[in-house]
Amino acid sequence: MTKIIQISDTHLVGEGNFVSKTLETAAPLEDLTRRIAEIELEVGAIDAIIVSGDISDDGSAESYARFKSILSPLKLTFFAVPGNHDVRSIFRAAFSSAGYLPGSGKLNWHQVVGEIHIVGLDTLIEGQDGGELDSETLQFLESTLEKLKNVPVILMFHHPPFKSGIKFMDSICLHKGQTRLYEILKSYPGELIVVCGHIHRNIVTQLAGHTVISAPSTCSSFLYNIHSDAPVGFLKQEGGLILHDWSQGFKSIRIEAERGAGPFAF
Ligand SMILES: [Fe+2]
């Protein structure tokens, strides 16, 4: 059994700053860190945390330092991919001591946690909100999966490989690489789930015979309104996390930010 917690889109900024002058993002992550400690009591030891991008909102070194500081009481290993708000060089410098990030080029990596192989891909195009899987990254994925053959895999990258229906988010989705991604995934014979972030909503769909799951954001969400004139902006709504539990198959459980009152006797 292997238990991996996925958090996403923490959008941290420097001390005293707010996202879009109104959203406080450190306190929700602090609360969620305490919730993760409770979850460990409820479900057993967590093997690792994975973070599907936009750790930072402003790309500052201070925001990454805050992230590490907030998570540190958990004493859990974490692995992360960059999102469009992250800055590759500062992200690399902030997390290089963990040893899993390459020293140059795209931040693509492969780690083994318990029975699971986790592959992280870098979809960041610096200066743009949309993302891409470029040929270097797709080559990395293809050669990694070829070596793995038939083991359970969590494949993580920031930009979802599907359209959510929310127009302003779909305009900044994964713009390049989907066709080859589909072919690579189609030829992988083992259990594999694709996990991503970016759209601040938990959506489950399929791609090339594999399950694809977008994680909620720890600090905000987007209204699920599919009309072309839908308001553009974010909701102050903390989305919690996803627990990916491997035991002869994947089970992915959305766990809310708030535990809720109770349980009350029936
Ligand atoms: Fe994003």
Side-chain angles (χ1 to χ4, degrees), residues 111-177:
Q111 288 290 304
V112 184
V113 177
E115 297 157 274
I116 301 293
H117 288 248
I118 308 175
V119 179
L121 300 181
D122 180 341
T123 55
L124 166 62
I125 310 171
E126 281 189 321
Q128 294 186 34
D129 289 326
E132 67 173 5
L133 288 165
D134 69 1
S135 54
E136 172 193 342
T137 299
L138 287 162
Q139 184 56 44
F140 175 84
L141 175 63
E142 186 165 32
S143 60
T144 303
L145 291 184
E146 269 170 16
K147 277 180 249 155
L148 297 183
K149 302 207 186 311
N150 199 17
V151 298
V153 173
I154 294 178
L155 171 61
M156 175 168 69
F157 47 89
H158 181 67
H159 295 82
F162 61 83
K163 292 267 202 277
S164 66
I166 303 169
K167 300 288 185 291
F168 69 90
M169 287 309 292
D170 290 343
S171 70
I172 56 167
C173 66
L174 187 68
H175 290 311
K176 197 177 130 195

Side-chain angles (χ1 to χ4, degrees), residues 9 11 53-54 83-85 129 158-159 169 172 197-200:
D9 296 83
H11 286 271
D54 284 356
N84 49 300
H85 282 266
D129 289 326
H158 181 67
H159 295 82
M169 287 309 292
I172 56 167
H198 191 52
I199 48 174
H200 295 215

Side-chain angles (χ1 to χ4, degrees), residues 30-199:
E30 287 163 356
D31 291 344
L32 194 64
T33 300
R34 287 188 280 273
R35 184 79 189 95
I36 290 171
E38 285 178 354
I39 290 167
E40 281 207 279
L41 299 176
E42 291 158 358
V43 306
I46 301 300
D47 295 285
I49 293 178
I50 55 174
V51 194
S52 41
D54 284 356
I55 285 181
S56 174
D57 191 74
D58 59 8
S60 66
E62 187 186 353
S63 62
Y64 296 112
R66 284 187 97 187
F67 179 84
K68 290 192 285 189
S69 166
I70 291 170
L71 260 67
S72 63
L74 292 173
K75 301 197 180 343
L76 288 170
T77 305
F78 66 85
F79 305 103
V81 292
N84 49 300
H85 282 266
D86 293 303
V87 174
R88 190 174 285 113
S89 59
I90 301 174
F91 184 106
R92 194 191 317 267
F95 302 125
S96 63
S97 62
Y100 68 97
L101 296 175
S104 62
K106 293 288 175 87
L107 296 163
N108 301 319
W109 49 263
H110 166 218
Q111 288 290 304
V112 184
V113 177
E115 297 157 274
I116 301 293
H117 288 248
I118 308 175
V119 179
L121 300 181
D122 180 341
T123 55
L124 166 62
I125 310 171
E126 281 189 321
Q128 294 186 34
D129 289 326
E132 67 173 5
L133 288 165
D134 69 1
S135 54
E136 172 193 342
T137 299
L138 287 162
Q139 184 56 44
F140 175 84
L141 175 63
E142 186 165 32
S143 60
T144 303
L145 291 184
E146 269 170 16
K147 277 180 249 155
L148 297 183
K149 302 207 186 311
N150 199 17
V151 298
V153 173
I154 294 178
L155 171 61
M156 175 168 69
F157 47 89
H158 181 67
H159 295 82
F162 61 83
K163 292 267 202 277
S164 66
I166 303 169
K167 300 288 185 291
F168 69 90
M169 287 309 292
D170 290 343
S171 70
I172 56 167
C173 66
L174 187 68
H175 290 311
K176 197 177 130 195
Q178 298 97 322
T179 305
R180 189 148 166 235
L181 173 68
Y182 182 93
E183 288 160 3
I184 295 168
L185 292 181
K186 187 116 187 117
S187 64
Y188 187 68
E191 294 243 11
L192 180 150
I193 56 173
V194 180
V195 305
C196 51
H198 191 52
I199 48 174

